[in-house]
């Protein structure tokens, strides 16, 4: 694997899942693969899981990982070409990315959507600039349109807990006070559409995801109907794609409650975390046996380790 920006970089999804299972069974079997190699983990936004699981994954492969919080400890970056840099940006991405590429064998980046300019976000301006100028393999740790390491960990978790060959998986929109990106939902839809599951997406009218993400899949606007017979409920808020970045609906009825979960086929509850209790999901669900949120977070080590392993094998 030359890079991991999205599902498009995965040549064969079932092979990748098998490889993840091997990695999970035997995490230290490739301890020498990262010898004398190093990865830079660049964060333009906060993180708990991605930051820590990536460092654990690198350690398991004997790969040195260095974390840089771009906004806290580095220069403010300029991404526009031809700018007269007499404002608050101190360094251009052309130099910054090239320097990082000169120091490291792999660069992993977190850069959320701005939620201000849809075209700019969906062009993956920041991620693409790093790919263009750093000259080494890039890993997406949540970009403006996708969070593939999360979707990969979620798929591993579903594989572990499914009790039928082709489980019914439901992605449900849930309320949130702040405007959040579509990245997690986008990747979840992409990965589940390629996996051996039956995917249903439910959200309030007007919250349609990008047509290229849904790829012909029609949303079910009735959340209760969507939950019927579900094996997995995956909750996530996203802000509006059409009226870009806006929070148009705060209907608390969309929260995943115990009563909603009772409509499912003894379904499991999933969320990428961090989650706002009693806004996105009720305590009674999150604290129940049905919740897989810690399993998902634990599998973030597995997804990152599998991706880093595939990349190191090509170096
Ligand atoms: C982020 C998001 O929704 O994209 C990160 C999730 C992994 N969530 C928040 O900002 C709460
Ligand atoms: N799920 C996830 O990516 O969490 P963090 O934002 O804490 O990394």
């Amino acid at each position: 694997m030359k890079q991991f920006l999205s599902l498009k970089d995965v040549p064969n999804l079932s092979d990748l899942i098998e490889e993840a299972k091997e990695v999970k069974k035997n995490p230290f079997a490739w301890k020498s693969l990262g010898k004398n190699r190093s990865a830079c983990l660049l964060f333009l936004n906060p993180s708990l899981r991605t930051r820590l699981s990536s460092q654990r994954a690198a350690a398991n492969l004997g790969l040195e990982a260095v974390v840089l919080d771009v906004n806290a400890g580095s220069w403010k970056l300029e991404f526009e070409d031809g700018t007269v840099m007499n404002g608050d940006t101190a360094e251009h991405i052309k130099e910054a990315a090239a320097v990082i590429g000169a120091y490291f064998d792999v660069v992993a980046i977190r850069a959320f959507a701005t939620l201000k300019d849809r075209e700019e976000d969906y062009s993956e301006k920041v991620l693409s600039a790093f790919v263009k100028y750093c000259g080494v393999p890039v890993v997406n740790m949540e970009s403006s349109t996708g969070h593939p390491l999360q979707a990969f960990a979620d798929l591993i978790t579903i594989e572990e807990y499914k009790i039928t060959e082709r489980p019914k998986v439901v992605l449900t929109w849930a309320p949130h006070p702040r405007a959040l990106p579509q990245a997690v939902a986008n990747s979840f839809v992409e990965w589940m559409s390629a996996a051996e599951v039956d995917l249903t997406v439910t959200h309030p009218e007007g919250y349609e995801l990008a047509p290229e993400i849904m790829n012909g899949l029609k949303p079910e606007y009735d959340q209760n109907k969507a939950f019927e017979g579900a094996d997995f409920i995956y909750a996530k808020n996203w802000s509006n794609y059409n009226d870009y970045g806006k929070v148009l609906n705060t209907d608390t009825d969309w929260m995943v409650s115990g009563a909603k979960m009772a409509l499912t086929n003894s379904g499991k509850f999933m969320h990428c975390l961090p989650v706002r209790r009693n806004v996105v999901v009720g305590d009674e669900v999150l604290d129940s046996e049905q919740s897989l949120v810690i399993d998902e977070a634990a599998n973030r080590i597995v997804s990152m380790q599998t991706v880093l392993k595939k990349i190191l094998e090509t170096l």
Side-chain angles (χ1 to χ4, degrees):
M1 202 184 283
K2 290 261 179 276
Q3 59 179 11
F4 186 75
L5 307 182
S6 75
L7 181 65
K8 293 187 185 73
D9 294 308
V10 176
N12 184 312
L13 185 54
S14 41
D15 286 354
L16 192 74
I17 296 166
E18 287 313 308
E19 200 147 347
K21 288 179 186 165
E22 286 300 310
V23 165
K24 184 155 182 173
K25 235 188 287 165
N26 212 346
F28 309 118
W30 295 273
K31 190 84 193 186
S32 55
L33 195 58
K35 189 164 182 264
N36 296 335
R37 302 276 187 191
S38 56
C40 185
L41 312 178
L42 276 175
F43 288 90
L44 283 76
N45 308 97
S47 163
L48 185 152
R49 279 142 292 272
T50 306
R51 171 186 300 258
L52 296 176
S53 63
S54 298
Q55 292 182 78
R56 298 314 307 143
N60 288 352
L61 293 165
L63 174 73
E64 187 198 7
V66 174
V67 177
L68 178 65
D69 286 304
V70 175
N71 296 326
S74 186
W75 306 105
K76 191 166 166 59
L77 295 178
E78 176 62 51
F79 287 89
E80 298 301 331
D81 266 339
T83 316
V84 178
M85 287 171 55
N86 58 2
D88 62 343
T89 56
E91 179 158 32
H92 201 277
I93 182 65
K94 287 186 183 178
E95 285 77 45
V99 168
I100 293 165
Y103 294 163
F104 294 95
D105 301 290
V106 180
V107 178
I109 299 150
R110 164 163 286 197
F112 287 176
T114 62
L115 297 177
K116 290 192 179 82
D117 182 335
R118 183 170 93 179
E119 226 170 283
E120 194 173 286
D121 282 345
Y122 275 72
S123 75
E124 287 290 8
K125 187 173 94 161
V126 175
L127 189 68
S128 312
F130 274 99
V131 171
K132 189 167 173 193
Y133 297 117
C134 81
V136 297
V138 172
V139 176
N140 181 351
M141 297 195 297
E142 187 172 337
S143 66
S144 44
T145 71
H147 195 359
L149 286 168
Q150 182 65 49
F152 183 15
D154 296 331
L155 184 52
I156 295 166
T157 311
I158 288 171
E159 282 285 316
E160 289 172 340
Y161 280 92
K162 71 179 186 186
I163 46 170
T164 56
E165 265 307 297
R166 216 180 149 79
K168 178 177 176 182
V169 175
V170 177
L171 167 66
T172 180
W173 182 92
H176 198 283
R178 290 186 47 226
L180 298 187
Q182 293 105 30
V184 171
N186 285 349
S187 287
F188 191 76
V189 170
E190 279 181 324
W191 285 65
M192 292 306 137
S193 300
E196 293 296 313
V197 308
D198 279 325
L199 175 68
T200 300
V201 179
T202 183
H203 56 69
E205 275 188 63
Y207 268 83
E208 288 75 17
L209 292 164
E212 69 265 27
I213 296 293
M214 291 297 277
N215 201 15
L217 185 69
K218 295 273 167 274
E220 167 59 67
Y221 296 119
D222 183 338
Q223 192 191 34
N224 289 345
K225 209 163 148 199
F227 273 42
E228 279 169 22
D231 298 302
F232 296 91
I233 297 295
Y234 192 96
K236 183 72 187 83
N237 170 268
W238 60 89
S239 62
N240 208 279
Y241 172 79
N242 298 306
D243 198 350
Y244 193 63
K246 298 274 173 20
V247 177
L248 302 177
N249 189 322
T250 48
D251 187 354
T252 53
D253 232 34
W254 279 80
M255 183 183 89
V256 179
S257 62
K260 290 256 158 96
M261 288 302 291
L263 299 169
T264 69
N265 178 28
S266 305
K268 299 289 189 189
F269 175 79
M270 299 180 73
H271 190 281
C272 65
L273 305 182
V275 72
R276 293 195 182 219
R277 282 177 172 259
N278 305 311
V279 174
V280 171
V281 54
D283 281 338
E284 72 279 14
V285 176
L286 208 48
D287 293 330
S288 75
E289 291 284 308
Q290 286 167 284
S291 174
L292 298 183
V293 297
I294 307 303
D295 299 79
E296 293 172 78
N299 279 331
R300 290 294 305 278
I301 300 181
V302 184
S303 67
M304 185 53 144
Q305 191 177 339
T306 306
V307 165
L308 288 173
K309 174 180 175 287
K310 298 291 289 174
I311 289 175
L312 288 172
E313 282 167 349
T314 67
L315 294 181

